[in-house]
Amino acid sequence: MNGETSRRNFLLSGLAIPVALNSNASFLPQAEKTKATAALTYRPLGKTGLKPTSVGFGCMNVSDKSVVERAADLGINYFDTARVYQQGNNERMVGAALKPKRKNLIIATKTMSQTKEEALQHIDTSLKELGMDYVDIWHLHMKDKPADLKDELLEAQQIAKKAGKVRFLGVSTHQLPAIVDAVIQKAAHFDVILTQYNFSMDAAAMDAAIGSAAKAGLGIIAMKTMMGGPRMAGRGAQGAALKKEGAMLAALKWVLKNPNVHTTIPGITDMDQIDEDMRAFAESFTDSDQKILTAHLREIRPLYCSMCYKCEGKCPKGLPVADVLRYLAYAEGYGEFQLGRQNFLSLPAETRNVRCTSCTECTIKCPNGVRVAQRLAVAQELFA
Ligand code: SF4
Ligand code: SF4
């Protein structure tokens, strides 16, 4: 892998930690897994001086503290949470797991606040819940348009940084190409970008945006690496087969091919996922992985919105299509029903009350093949 500056051999046998070597080993009983030596890889996170492991840990859906602890024991050093995850409870669990190992870890959290005052309350709450004096990275969460980078939110970040509550400042986005120039213009303020990045997206546009940001000295962290969440791979018989064949691992390896991606935060919820993701440290992306991903994409394309926003503003009834489909993905892909519903219920009543089943024909033709009206109807039935 390019861009990696250091490696250390991690003697798993000494720590009694199994790592799978063959493509199906993570599905074998624990006793049958091969003990071996694995190398962790690190990449410099832009200009921050931090060196995260190339595979980090997205904590959004994990509720088992021992899973987080084990990842840290294995050497994964980058952990991502947010004030909003699990109705505010995720930070507390992550903090309980990682506080004893805090010194060697990079901890990131986020705020979805729209005001300076609320953002500053959020960072104080985040630190209290994590049980920590500071976080390494504090993101403004889900900023998809330049106008979302409001001065008062940037001011809140600076206040928190000056107070020693955060070390580096970040922004998370599902729309990097739309926002990257604005972030680069503020590169004296921002240190890192957390961006959606996976094999389903327009690779040319994404790679160009990521390349520009990396060139400007910004650290790049990839989220939604597994396109819609681990559970999307398990839908139906074909999906289950794809999961077994390693679609999730292939997706992670696809992201790591890009040397401008400095770390990744695949969502991890159990020990098997840790074992599987650990293999991405050592294995390269292969033709066989590409075949698996192509088949996987065919399977979930009608279900999964890649949030390209090409349909933005095209629903005559004003539905924010990509947002509602994302809420559905929280529920179906990540098993986070409450997060999905909470977001849906925060929409204005006139939007919440729209029913796609009352349209004779949907005006939105998704260029990526998502069955928009059908999927939105599922979300409306589920959340309203
Ligand atoms: S529904 Fe289709 S066009 Fe609309 S944001 Fe999703 S992938 Fe893009
Ligand atoms: S079916 Fe739904 S998304 Fe399509 S036009 Fe009607 S209200 Fe809008």
Side-chain angles (χ1 to χ4, degrees), residues 43-52 136-137 158 161 167-170 182-193 212-221 260 262:
R43 301 181 182 188
L45 187 63
K47 63 192 175 192
T48 64
L50 300 174
K51 286 190 181 163
D136 297 280
I137 297 168
Q158 288 295 344
K161 188 175 179 180
R167 294 179 66 201
F168 299 104
L169 305 179
V183 178
I184 289 172
Q185 278 169 18
K186 297 176 194 302
H189 173 90
F190 287 115
D191 302 292
V192 296
I193 297 180
S212 303
K215 198 171 166 196
L218 290 153
I220 311 294
I221 305 147
N260 289 321
H262 304 136

Side-chain angles (χ1 to χ4, degrees), residues 314-319 321 354-364 372-374 376 380:
K314 297 211 172 136
C315 168
K317 295 186 180 170
L319 278 186
V321 172
V354 171
R355 292 293 173 272
C356 289
T357 47
S358 66
C359 282
T360 47
E361 189 180 356
C362 183
T363 54
I364 295 171
V372 171
Q374 192 184 86
L376 289 174
Q380 290 152 357

Side-chain angles (χ1 to χ4, degrees), residues 24 120 140 159 166 169 250 326 334:
N24 290 317
L120 290 169
L140 300 179
I159 290 170
V166 308
L169 305 179
R326 177 161 45 81
Y334 294 99

